[in-house]
Amino acid sequence: MTGFVAWALLLLVVMESVRTYFVLTGKVAANAFTPDNAGLSPFMQRLARAHANCVEGLPIFGGLLTIALMTSKTGITDPLAIWFLGARIVQSLIHLASTSPVAVSLRFTAFAVQMAIGVYWSWKLMI
């Protein structure tokens, strides 16, 4: 859980550092940014989307990890947690690198790994 939140925070820090640079250099007015970084470089738009992907997934996957903690069933989540985090980081890095068809397919594969782990956790936590 800490790794997931830290990764989302790192993406946010990178995005806000670049935005701060743009403001300080006069390239963009402080009040001109949109949540999706429209009007900025394609990389900045992908960065906003990669961060949003993390934030969107946090309630679902973070919720499962929280349930495991609250029910003392971390033995279910612990073995796959590093794989889940790795797949999340791979998904984000691919998202930042490219939107080519191959990259999108690889990014979806990394997301599918996370979904499969989440479904497995959900099932095991319910039984």
Side-chain angles (χ1 to χ4, degrees):
M1 180 76 142
T2 303
F4 188 98
V5 172
W7 180 250
L9 178 61
L10 176 64
L11 293 173
L12 182 61
V13 167
V14 170
M15 183 166 50
E16 296 312 315
S17 296
V18 174
R19 285 179 169 192
T20 299
Y21 170 78
F22 287 159
V23 170
L24 293 177
T25 59
K27 294 180 180 184
V28 179
N31 64 346
F33 294 104
T34 60
D36 61 355
N37 285 335
L40 298 180
S41 70
F43 173 80
M44 286 298 289
Q45 292 172 31
R46 291 192 309 271
L47 178 57
R49 196 61 221 139
H51 175 260
N53 287 158
C54 287
V55 172
E56 292 163 358
L58 186 58
I60 296 166
F61 300 111
L64 289 169
L65 293 170
T66 301
I67 291 165
L69 286 168
M70 291 170 41
T71 59
S72 298
K73 293 183 178 180
T74 56
I76 293 168
T77 55
D78 285 354
L80 293 174
I82 193 69
W83 292 100
F84 174 86
L85 179 59
R88 169 55 62 174
I89 291 170
V90 166
Q91 177 190 355
S92 298
L93 292 175
I94 293 170
H95 203 155
L96 294 175
S98 176
T99 57
S100 73
V102 170
V104 170
S105 294
L106 291 172
R107 189 175 82 215
F108 178 76
T109 300
F111 181 61
V113 167
Q114 295 164 72
M115 288 191 304
I117 291 171
V119 168
Y120 172 77
W121 285 345
S122 294
W123 176 254
K124 294 298 277 187
L125 288 168
M126 286 190 295
I127 59 172

